[in-house]
Amino acid sequence: MTQSRWLPYALIAPAMVFLGIFFIVPLVQTIMLSFQGGSGFGLENYSKMVGDLNFGLAIKNTFLLVLTVIPLQVGLALAMGMMLQKMTAGRDVVLWIWTIPLGVSDLAAGLVWLALLQNTGYINSMLFAMGLIEGPTPWLNSETPVTLFVAVVLAEVWRATAIVLVILVGGLQLIPKEFGEAAEIFGAKPWTRFTRITLPLLKPSLQSALILRTVLAFEVFAVVYALGGRNFPVLVGEAYVWQRENQNYGVAAAYAVLVMIISLAATIFWLRALRTKPEAQA
Amino acid sequence: MAGIVIDRIAKSFGAVSALKEVSLEIADGEFVALLGPSGCGKTTLLRIMAGLETRSSGRVLIGGRDVSDLKPYERGLAMVFQNYAVFPHMTVYDNVGFGLTMQKKPKDVIDRQVKKAAALLHIEPYLERYPAKLSGGQRQRVAVARALAVEPAVLLMDEPLSNLDALLRLEMRAELKSVLREAGTTTVYVTHDQTEAMGLADRIAVMHGGKIVQIAPPTEVYSRPASMFVGGFVGSPPMNFIPVEARAGSVALGGQTLAAPRASGALTLGFRGEDVTLAPPGEAMPFTVRVAEPMGSHLLLTGRIGDAVVRVVAPPASIVKAGETVGLRLDPDRIVFMDAATGAATDLAA
Ligand SMILES: Nc1ncnc2c1ncn2[C@@H]1O[C@H](COP(=O)(O)OP(=O)(O)O)[C@@H](O)[C@H]1O
Ligand SMILES: [Mg+2]
């Protein structure tokens, strides 16, 4: 029996309608909004955004965060994934525990780390009780940008490394063990096997994980907001401030469009950088 | 070049005993096939030799050196895997040169060895290609070339031809044999295909239930199987077995009197389908034909002697029809007697 030609389209239609209503329409609206200023259609919102005091800082902070957090997360997830591959007993339990932070929302994660790190937090109390500090030490205000940054990095790594791990573990399991064994037989030491065999064969999974994580990392907001408020401006945080506090939807939309463009650029970057030549595919 | 000694190797996976004190000596340059049904422990034994699997007890010696606790690459061997394990992200050239690159050999040495191995396996035209662009047979050649490029003292192969189609398998089998003969490499070849083992090996080690049940040259394994299991597993059609009774040191079978290894008692008589001649029914053992299959080179007859199913190979021009009863005369030099209870061969001389 030949299938009717419209059946595949009928089957994906609901998904397309959903995507249209809840994604494409708001997207187009946002883009339109970003070009609508008090004096009509133009770049007014964008010049306001760029002219703002916090703009440069938000760009710098966001990129600094992404460039610190992503390598840490990928490195950690790779190490954890390779450890899991070596384990036989209790592997699933360890994987399960490692992925618990995935179930915690980013705001909740920020609050957890706030409870640990604020002036009267657990860590301060503990250090004080051990006699290591004189009194409550502030780590998260504008006078301590380094510790604030470190705190945000810690919280982000704790919260979102697991998603990279899950993708990489899936990829590692797809690599037949004979590849590693053949390499071992022919004299490749563990590190060589990792760099010459495992990493290249893991490239497709690494690519997915990096695209997903980079896009999400450029949207970082709740953790930063919980820990530092506006002491550590980031792009999405600025969009939020313009929308909520300044009630200026146009500039907020301009920020949103900027984040989208950066995310698209990052995606294209990873698609190119980690391309597997079609003939070299497994 | 090196011989291999496997000294009482045993292996259990938890409660499952995969190998039960297996011992085997392989001479320098010899080609030994490990033959047995699926799950009998062939792969496990090969992987223990390679150092990819730990052993529960026993020793492995290669070239007189105890390698039991050495890493795979310290044992001086190469391996060909069932699914080839040719690296998909490297060109054929880099695949074949992988072992030499790992040994940090100079570029010109690598180049020379890669070209030599490639020539041996006829894969020179594909050296710059990626494996995904090759057929199964070509990938298999790459895997063998990669193993031979390091000029190993010992080559281990685990069912290297089982993923190829029948015609290609036949072609590769002959080619492997000539290539390895030329290289003079000590080879252990795992297979569950008895024709492969027969065709390739100097000696066949037949495995069953984690033990080697017979180790002998192919013709001996074929005509003098050590047990009913070996006779039934090796050869197509398998060896025929019929229950007989010895009286006064001989067995009487439809007009034939055959010397028996025992004075009296129950025995199992084994004979190959081609070691019989057809005779008129009254003058020999009566054989009731159920099915006659003309195979071109011969006529395959399946039927019964008493209650035992028997397969007989008759000349292609024989005129025998299903339902007919014919006489079978056995070649007394080519029969074997097995103990009826244990199934083990009872040597005539004993
Ligand atoms: N990693 C393993 N864990 C548990 N049991 C195994 C493992 N590898 C093999 N076995 C068992 O050991 C026996 C022999 O397996 P194997 O050597 O692969 O047989 P063959 O290669 O002859 O088919 C089988 O019963 C198999 O189930
Ligand atoms: Mg096997």
Side-chain angles (χ1 to χ4, degrees):
Chain A
M1 187 192 100
T2 54
Q3 276 185 350
S4 58
R5 203 178 295 172
W6 51 266
L7 185 64
Y9 298 99
L11 289 175
I12 62 164
M16 292 306 289
V17 169
F18 188 88
L19 208 67
I21 294 175
F22 295 104
F23 185 72
I24 310 274
V25 170
L27 180 73
V28 173
Q29 280 177 341
T30 306
I31 295 173
M32 302 285 281
L33 193 60
S34 75
F35 288 106
Q36 275 158 14
S39 52
F41 203 80
L43 291 173
E44 191 187 322
N45 292 325
Y46 286 92
S47 59
K48 224 179 208 164
M49 169 178 86
V50 176
D52 186 65
L53 250 171
N54 270 347
F55 176 74
L57 204 55
I59 290 264
K60 191 189 111 193
N61 285 344
T62 307
F63 272 85
L64 207 60
L65 255 184
V66 170
L67 292 177
T68 314
V69 168
I70 301 287
L72 272 177
Q73 287 183 329
V74 170
L76 267 174
L78 271 174
M80 291 155 86
M82 294 304 286
M83 278 163 72
L84 283 175
Q85 288 297 102
K86 295 268 172 219
M87 290 177 67
T88 44
R91 188 174 173 281
D92 292 346
V93 177
V94 175
L95 182 61
W96 183 75
I97 291 172
W98 278 348
T99 49
I100 287 177
L102 272 186
V104 180
S105 84
D106 46 357
L107 184 59
L111 293 174
V112 166
W113 284 87
L114 183 68
L116 285 168
L117 293 168
Q118 67 186 337
N119 292 3
T120 55
Y122 292 108
I123 293 187
N124 261 324
S125 314
M126 199 175 77
L127 291 178
F128 182 66
M130 288 162 70
L132 291 174
I133 51 175
E134 301 286 303
T137 310
W139 282 324
L140 302 175
N141 64 28
S142 52
E143 274 97 68
T144 58
V146 175
T147 48
L148 176 56
F149 178 74
V150 171
V152 172
V153 168
L154 263 180
E156 273 295 292
V157 167
W158 177 82
R159 185 183 71 80
T161 299
I163 186 69
V164 183
L165 175 68
V166 168
I167 296 173
L168 294 189
V169 164
L172 283 171
Q173 282 171 343
L174 286 180
I175 303 176
K177 73 176 190 333
E178 281 85 358
F179 287 136
E181 290 181 346
E184 191 178 356
I185 291 268
F186 289 108
K189 307 270 158 54
W191 180 251
T192 315
R193 291 206 290 278
F194 178 70
T195 55
R196 299 281 296 261
I197 309 293
T198 310
L199 271 187
L201 294 177
L202 199 57
K203 223 156 75 172
S205 309
L206 269 175
Q207 192 182 50
S208 313
L210 279 166
I211 290 174
L212 187 69
R213 261 318 291 151
T214 311
V215 167
L216 290 176
F218 276 116
E219 291 170 11
V220 68
F221 169 52
V223 167
V224 175
Y225 202 68
L227 284 175
R230 283 197 80 188
N231 291 337
F232 191 80
V234 288
L235 288 172
V236 175
E238 289 310 296
Y240 179 77
V241 169
W242 279 95
Q243 168 108 357
R244 285 273 127 189
E245 286 171 26
N246 305 355
Q247 296 282 313
N248 189 329
Y249 296 168
V251 178
Y255 267 107
V257 171
L258 177 65
V259 171
M260 187 181 77
I261 289 169
I262 294 174
S263 298
L264 268 176
T267 305
I268 291 168
F269 171 77
W270 288 127
L271 284 177
R272 295 256 166 124
L274 292 182
R275 200 168 63 96
T276 309
K277 282 182 271 177
E279 68 268 25
Q281 269 158 11
Chain B
M1 298 294 106
I4 306 170
V5 177
I6 293 168
D7 181 20
R8 286 166 294 155
I9 285 286
K11 174 71 183 177
S12 327
F13 295 103
V16 182
S17 162
L19 293 173
K20 299 170 184 124
E21 301 237 327
V22 172
S23 293
L24 174 64
E25 281 194 33
I26 299 168
D28 182 16
E30 196 180 14
F31 192 129
V32 167
L34 298 180
L35 173 68
S38 180
C40 70
K42 309 178 296 287
T43 297
T44 305
L45 182 57
L46 197 76
R47 288 170 59 83
I48 289 174
M49 289 188 210
L52 292 172
E53 189 74 74
T54 56
R55 70 208 189 282
S56 301
S57 65
R59 296 184 308 156
V60 177
L61 283 76
I62 294 179
R65 187 169 62 121
D66 189 342
V67 298
S68 311
D69 295 313
L70 297 186
K71 294 243 170 347
Y73 54 83
E74 295 166 329
R75 299 186 177 202
L77 46 79
M79 186 159 167
V80 176
F81 292 80
Q82 180 169 6
N83 62 1
Y84 322 135
V86 169
F87 306 127
H89 59 293
M90 295 181 194
T91 60
V92 170
Y93 186 98
D94 290 339
N95 263 289
V96 176
F98 186 81
L100 299 159
T101 311
M102 289 300 118
Q103 294 171 8
K104 305 214 162 43
K105 287 270 158 60
K107 280 245 175 334
D108 57 316
V109 174
I110 295 178
D111 194 60
R112 187 156 18 93
Q113 299 270 88
V114 168
K115 298 247 163 79
K116 193 171 136 195
L120 213 51
L121 274 301
H122 309 298
I123 51 168
E124 295 128 308
Y126 322 122
L127 280 175
E128 295 315 315
R129 287 200 208 167
Y130 283 93
K133 290 271 181 269
L134 301 181
S135 69
Q138 290 164 339
R139 267 183 247 183
Q140 185 57 64
R141 287 163 193 273
V142 175
V144 175
R146 176 175 68 183
L148 292 182
V150 296
E151 303 193 324
V154 168
L155 179 61
L156 307 178
M157 300 203 232
D158 191 357
E159 313 230 8
L161 304 184
S162 62
N163 286 353
L164 304 180
D165 60 53
L167 202 61
L168 206 54
R169 198 147 58 203
L170 207 65
E171 195 183 306
M172 273 300 284
R173 195 165 85 201
E175 207 163 313
L176 265 185
K177 184 159 183 165
S178 79
V179 164
L180 292 173
R181 176 122 316 157
E182 206 169 312
T185 313
T186 311
T187 306
V188 183
Y189 185 102
V190 162
T191 180
H192 67 265
D193 179 342
Q194 48 98 18
T195 55
E196 244 172 55
M198 298 278 297
L200 286 169
D202 297 323
R203 282 192 301 154
I204 298 177
V206 185
M207 293 186 68
H208 182 43
K211 280 190 271 199
I212 293 181
V213 289
Q214 184 169 17
I215 166 112
T219 47
E220 193 180 326
V221 169
Y222 185 78
S223 55
R224 299 252 145 234
S227 67
M228 286 178 67
F229 168 79
V230 177
F233 189 74
V234 175
S236 172
M239 186 172 251
N240 299 299
F241 295 104
I242 50 176
V244 292
E245 194 72 31
R247 282 202 189 82
S250 66
V251 167
L253 264 183
Q256 261 184 304
T257 305
L258 304 160
R262 288 189 195 147
S264 64
L267 287 167
T268 300
L269 170 72
F271 64 96
R272 290 282 174 193
E274 66 273 21
D275 294 334
V276 296
T277 41
L278 299 183
E283 297 167 23
M285 190 164 45
F287 170 55
T288 312
V289 178
R290 301 265 305 276
V291 183
E293 297 166 82
M295 310 300 284
S297 61
H298 60 268
L299 180 69
L300 180 63
L301 304 174
T302 306
R304 283 176 185 282
I305 294 176
D307 285 336
V309 175
V310 167
R311 287 190 185 80
V312 163
V313 174
S318 316
I319 300 166
V320 183
K321 287 193 205 69
E324 241 180 286
T325 298
V326 296
L328 291 186
R329 187 176 296 282
L330 301 177
D331 179 347
D333 292 333
R334 299 194 52 91
I335 56 169
V336 288
F337 284 103
M338 308 284 176
D339 187 290
T342 64
T346 59
D347 204 336
L348 257 179

